[in-house]
Amino acid sequence: MAEKINQPLAPANRHPRSDEESDTLQSKELRRKKRVKLAVYIAAFSVFQTVVILVFALTVMRVRTPKVRLGTVTFKNMTTGNLTSPFFDISFTTQVRVRNTNFGPYKYDSTNVTFTYQGVIVGRASIPKGKAGFRSTKKVSVMVYVNSNVLSSIPSLGSDLNAGVLTLNSHAKLRGKVELIFVLKKEELTEMNCTMNINISTEELRDLNCK
Ligand SMILES: *[C@@H]1O[C@H](CO)[C@@H](O)[C@H](O)[C@H]1NC(C)=O
Ligand SMILES: *[C@@H]1O[C@H](CO)[C@@H](O)[C@H](O)[C@H]1NC(C)=O
Ligand SMILES: *[C@@H]1O[C@H](CO)[C@@H](O)[C@H](O)[C@H]1NC(C)=O
Ligand SMILES: *[C@@H]1O[C@H](CO)[C@@H](O)[C@H](O)[C@H]1NC(C)=O
Ligand SMILES: *[C@@H]1O[C@H](CO)[C@@H](O)[C@H](O)[C@H]1NC(C)=O
C-alpha cells in the first residue's frame, strides 16, 4: 500500500522537478535574452550618442574662418588722364561683406580697407567695429576715394590708362572672435584680397576677384 501510494507520488514528485528545471531554464534563457537586448540597446544608444556628438563637433562646434570680400561697386565720379599726362581721381561706393558661417556671432574690431595701385596705397576706407550674426553676412557700405597723387613715377599708369583698364587691389585684415553657444570664444583673423579691373572708357567695373 505504501508502495502503491509512493509510486504515483514519485512521478508526481519528478514532474514538478522537471517543470521547475524547465522553468528555470526558460527564465534563464529569458533573462539572457533580456540582457542581450539591454546590451544591444546600450550599444545602439552609445553609437547614436557618438554620432550625435560627432555631428555636433563637426558642424555646430567647428569654427570656420569668416570670409571678407567686396560687394557691388558703384562709381560716382571718375576723372582720368592719358598716356602723356597720367592720373586718376575716382570715387565709388562699395560694400564690405563679412560672411560668417559659424553657429554663433563673429565680433570684429574696427579696421581699414586699403586700395592700392601697383602696391602703393591710393585710398582707404575705415570699417567700424561690428558683428556678423549667427550664420549671416554683415554688409558695411563704404565710400571710397582713390587718386594718383602719391604715384609720382609709376611708368605703367600711363600705359594702363592708354589701354583703358585700371587695376586696383584692395586689402583688409579683420581681427575678431567667434562665439559659440554663448561661452566658447575663439580668435579668428581673416583677410580680404580683392583685385578690381575698371574699364575707364565706360566707367564700369570689368571684373572683381576676391580671394
Ligand atoms: C568729380 O571730381 C572732380 C575732380 O576731383 C571734381 O572737380 C568734381 O567736382 C567732382 N564731381 C562730383 C559730382 O563730385
Ligand atoms: C593728354 O592730356 C593732356 C591734358 O589734358 C592733353 O594736353 C594732351 O593733349 C593729352 N594727350 C593725348 C595724347 O591725348
Ligand atoms: C586706419 O587708418 C587711420 C589713418 O591712417 C589710422 O589712424 C587708424 O589707426 C587705422 N585704424 C586701424 C584699425 O588700423
Ligand atoms: C570697355 O567696355 C567697352 C564696352 O563694353 C568695350 O567695348 C571696351 O573694349 C572695354 N575696354 C576694355 C579695355 O576692356
Ligand atoms: C593678394 O593677391 C595677389 C594676387 O594673387 C597677390 O599677388 C598679393 O600678394 C596678395 N596680397 C596679399 C596682401 O595677400
Side-chain angles (χ1 to χ4, degrees):
M1 281 292 273
E3 271 181 59
K4 262 187 186 173
I5 297 166
N6 268 350
Q7 248 177 353
L9 267 177
N13 261 357
R14 228 179 280 134
H15 257 294
R17 202 182 288 154
S18 71
D19 267 5
E20 252 173 46
E21 257 168 32
S22 73
D23 260 8
T24 53
L25 262 177
Q26 265 177 11
S27 66
K28 254 186 195 166
E29 179 65 17
L30 222 75
R31 262 182 285 152
R32 199 186 65 82
K33 272 184 181 163
K34 266 185 189 165
R35 272 202 303 272
V36 167
K37 235 184 205 174
L38 193 68
V40 167
Y41 282 153
I42 290 172
F45 184 71
S46 310
V47 168
F48 174 73
Q49 208 175 26
T50 307
V51 167
V52 166
I53 289 169
L54 220 68
V55 166
F56 197 70
L58 291 177
T59 57
V60 176
M61 296 310 289
R62 207 182 99 214
V63 178
R64 301 162 181 85
T65 303
K67 291 192 167 61
V68 194
R69 54 166 297 142
L70 291 181
T72 347
V73 174
T74 310
F75 293 104
K76 298 292 176 198
N77 191 6
M78 188 183 303
T79 37
T80 52
N82 56 29
L83 187 60
T84 47
S85 151
F87 74 94
F88 62 84
D89 212 307
I90 304 164
S91 56
F92 59 90
T93 57
T94 185
Q95 277 179 339
V96 175
R97 295 182 180 169
V98 184
R99 186 160 167 259
N100 174 31
T101 53
N102 289 291
F103 287 80
Y106 174 58
K107 291 175 181 165
Y108 54 84
D109 295 337
S110 62
T111 191
N112 285 326
V113 181
T114 55
F115 292 84
T116 56
Y117 173 78
Q118 301 286 324
V120 181
I121 295 174
V122 292
R124 69 179 99 228
S126 67
I127 306 292
K129 76 173 192 179
K131 181 179 88 170
F134 181 98
R135 293 176 69 76
S136 66
T137 302
K138 169 84 171 181
K139 295 168 186 159
V140 185
S141 294
V142 288
M143 175 83 192
V144 184
Y145 175 58
V146 291
N147 66 62
S148 58
N149 296 350
V150 290
L151 305 170
S152 48
S153 58
I154 291 194
S156 63
L157 184 56
S159 50
D160 277 359
L161 293 174
N162 198 44
V165 179
L166 185 66
T167 302
L168 296 179
N169 285 299
S170 180
H171 187 250
K173 230 181 234 176
L174 233 64
R175 197 180 291 278
K177 283 191 180 98
V178 169
E179 210 177 280
L180 293 177
I181 41 178
F182 309 107
V183 282
L184 209 92
K185 286 182 184 161
K186 183 160 184 300
E187 291 249 6
E188 275 298 322
L189 188 74
T190 182
E191 264 183 76
M192 176 185 88
N193 189 4
C194 298
T195 303
M196 56 167 91
N197 287 310
I198 305 164
N199 182 329
I200 53 178
S201 54
T202 55
E203 303 195 353
E204 273 171 355
L205 190 70
R206 203 168 72 164
D207 48 58
L208 175 65
N209 290 304
C210 292
K211 286 194 185 113

